[in-house]
Amino acid sequence: MRRDDRLSIIFAVSEATPYAKTGGLADVAGALPQALVKLGVEVAVILPRYRGERAGTVGRCVKERVDVPFAFGTKTVAIYADEHKGVPFYFVDVPEYFDRPGIYGPNPSEEYPDNVERYAFFSRAVIEWARQCERPPDLFHCNDWQTGFIPLYLRTVYSAEPFFRRTRTLFTIHNIGYQGLFSPTLLERFGLPPEVYRTEGGIEFYGSASAMKAGIVFATAISTVSPKYAEEIQTPEYGHGLDGLLRARATRLVGILNGVDYEEWNPATDPFIAANYSVEAPEGKRLCKADLLRTMGLPEELDRPVIGSISRLVAQKGFDLVREAAEGLLHTGIMYVLLGSGDRELERFFRDWQRAHPDRVGIYLGFHNELAHKIEAGADMFLMPSRYEPCGLNQIYSLKYGTVPIVRATGGLDDTIQPFDPTTRSGNGFKFFEYRADRLLAAVHEALRVYADPSLWRACMENGMRADFSWERSALQYRELYERVIAGEGPFGEPT
Ligand code: ADP
């Protein structure tokens, strides 16, 4: 295929594996571009050059000067480049904004006060860099509020720029709960015209300006990371105040389920776990369980069911339900293992719970990738009681590892987990609907009843292990969406 026939996409994002990660967004940004490249799409990923990339030997400087008009003047940035698994990654180097500890803040529960400015600047730098490229991209694929400024800048400051005349934008919502709200007095600093601060067709949001709203209002197309979440965010319960706007733009909104990277998350090849295993040769899982119990300082009672969780400890993830159900959970006879960090009060609760039941509860507070793999492999069940969950990755990893998910039926959890039915032996997990601790416990009880029958449990595990949530499928849907958006098909051809 000739180079010019290929779709050319700039994928702008605030974090991407293997470079910088706080959560699932990084996994998507690491894996989707790889799958797209395999489908013949030309993708360049661009993110900030954080301290981690500065310290090591990541990348080389490919552009020493890109001038970015901002804050009553022009700042000059450098662009670094690296390649990972066939995907070109670019890094915008702005030490004053990004040479700091952490990504969004010095630790998971603290944010930098100038975050909106950091990412507004990053967004503008992405556009200025793209402008210096040989040919314009067909589409900017923007991700979450941090890059919501890209469609906004393109449709205002750069609207008369002939270079971008044919360039379209896709704005993907990975989590509508984080919106990048800021004082409208900053607009001037960002070089944006004051009239964008309006309610209809602008970025005003209950007295603040919203970077998330900028993405939704000004992008050619909007997507989110599961079909169910695409429906949910159009309702007041899940829309975080943007449901009305999303209903109005519903014809441009598409839900595409995230895939997972089975090169990284596969019990047959995983280098971090005590023994590899698969549907055909499942014996290793028991060794992984013994290894996990040892690692967490728990007694090696291999016949006791182990429930695991790996999560950011924030309100979205529903760990207040686990706290409420704590006593009832231990009453069922299980052991519980948690890897997570975030909310200080929840962290304190889990530390205390472990102290009170050191032979039943294992807690690791912090971020630990290797331990995450050990939990996926060693636990029998995986608990995700999320209040809302745009897609969720851990339940999909769990399926592959034969670690049966118990989830609240919301967003991607609802799309990926089907209740196990002992009569037909169909289904891959257990779910509860109402956000209540007693409902969570009921789902755990149901799972334990099936667990008590090894043949049924095996069937449930195998249904999960055989399922395919690889990126290839999702990448095909993204490619198709890109094509429709670029061609201006249907709603994507109408003025926004
Ligand atoms: P979110 O993006 O909302 O945090 P996801 O389920 O989509 O939730 O993705 C979470 C990702 O982050 C997974 O890859 C998970 O393994 C990882 N993760 C979350 N917390 C930790 C932690 N404390 N240690 C290691 N990995 C973690």
Side-chain angles (χ1 to χ4, degrees), residues 109-375:
S109 53
E110 213 181 313
E111 302 232 314
Y112 288 118
D114 61 346
N115 266 353
V116 173
E117 176 169 327
R118 294 168 80 213
Y119 291 103
F121 183 82
F122 167 69
S123 296
R124 190 145 188 186
V126 169
I127 295 174
E128 287 295 337
W129 165 72
R131 230 171 145 193
Q132 294 194 10
C133 293
E134 208 177 299
R135 64 166 184 150
D138 293 314
L139 180 139
F140 283 99
H141 187 163
C142 308
N143 296 278
D144 270 351
W145 75 260
Q146 290 86 353
T147 52
F149 289 100
I150 293 177
L152 173 59
Y153 277 123
L154 285 173
R155 295 278 305 283
T156 52
V157 180
Y158 296 89
S159 61
E161 167 67 60
F163 190 71
F164 292 126
R165 197 167 46 88
R166 299 169 66 90
T167 298
R168 302 289 178 262
T169 49
L170 168 64
F171 181 67
T172 299
I173 300 167
H174 297 262
N175 190 331
I176 207 164
Y178 300 86
Q179 302 188 342
L181 299 184
F182 60 102
S183 161
T185 56
L186 286 170
L187 288 169
E188 193 180 357
R189 192 169 166 78
F190 300 167
L192 285 161
E195 61 271 18
V196 301
Y197 187 68
R198 59 179 188 274
T199 307
E200 280 279 312
I203 68 169
E204 189 277 339
F205 184 77
Y206 297 99
S208 285
S210 162
M212 174 66 85
K213 193 173 171 189
I216 296 172
V217 169
F218 291 96
T220 326
I222 308 152
S223 78
T224 186
V225 292
S226 69
K228 181 78 184 189
Y229 195 57
E231 284 171 27
E232 285 176 343
I233 55 177
Q234 297 179 50
T235 67
E237 190 183 350
Y238 292 98
H240 288 260
L242 290 167
D243 46 291
L245 173 64
L246 287 162
R247 283 196 300 279
R249 292 180 64 74
T251 55
R252 291 172 193 273
L253 171 62
V254 178
I256 300 178
L257 192 70
N258 283 338
V260 298
D261 184 354
Y262 287 129
E263 272 182 39
E264 206 192 325
W265 296 95
N266 180 353
T269 52
D270 193 328
F272 297 124
I273 61 179
N276 291 119
Y277 62 93
S278 61
V279 186
E280 293 74 28
E283 304 76 30
K285 187 161 173 73
R286 217 170 152 79
L287 292 175
C288 293
K289 182 168 179 178
D291 177 55
L292 173 64
L293 294 175
R294 259 194 314 275
T295 307
M296 298 305 288
L298 289 164
E300 279 180 57
E301 300 169 7
L302 290 182
D303 292 329
R304 208 186 261 286
V306 172
I307 300 184
S309 296
I310 304 163
S311 187
R312 294 182 295 120
L313 298 177
V314 295
Q316 175 203 336
K317 300 292 181 177
F319 284 86
D320 51 325
L321 284 192
V322 178
R323 174 167 54 187
E324 216 181 312
E327 219 171 289
L329 273 173
L330 292 190
H331 233 84
T332 64
I334 61 128
M335 288 199 263
Y336 183 69
V337 167
L338 167 78
L339 163 63
S341 66
D343 183 88
R344 292 280 171 257
E345 207 186 305
L346 273 174
E347 287 192 354
R348 201 171 319 118
F349 161 75
F350 281 111
R351 208 179 296 121
D352 292 346
W353 195 29
Q354 177 181 32
R355 281 204 194 110
H357 304 276
D359 54 340
R360 301 284 297 284
V361 178
I363 305 290
Y364 183 99
L365 297 175
F367 197 91
H368 195 316
N369 185 46
E370 188 173 337
L371 183 56
H373 285 253
K374 282 179 187 287
I375 293 176

Side-chain angles (χ1 to χ4, degrees), residues 450-470:
V450 177
Y451 182 82
D453 181 329
S455 143
L456 283 182
W457 191 251
R458 204 52 272 121
C460 183
M461 280 171 69
E462 285 188 7
N463 291 345
M465 293 177 86
R466 286 187 204 282
D468 180 13
F469 290 97
S470 58

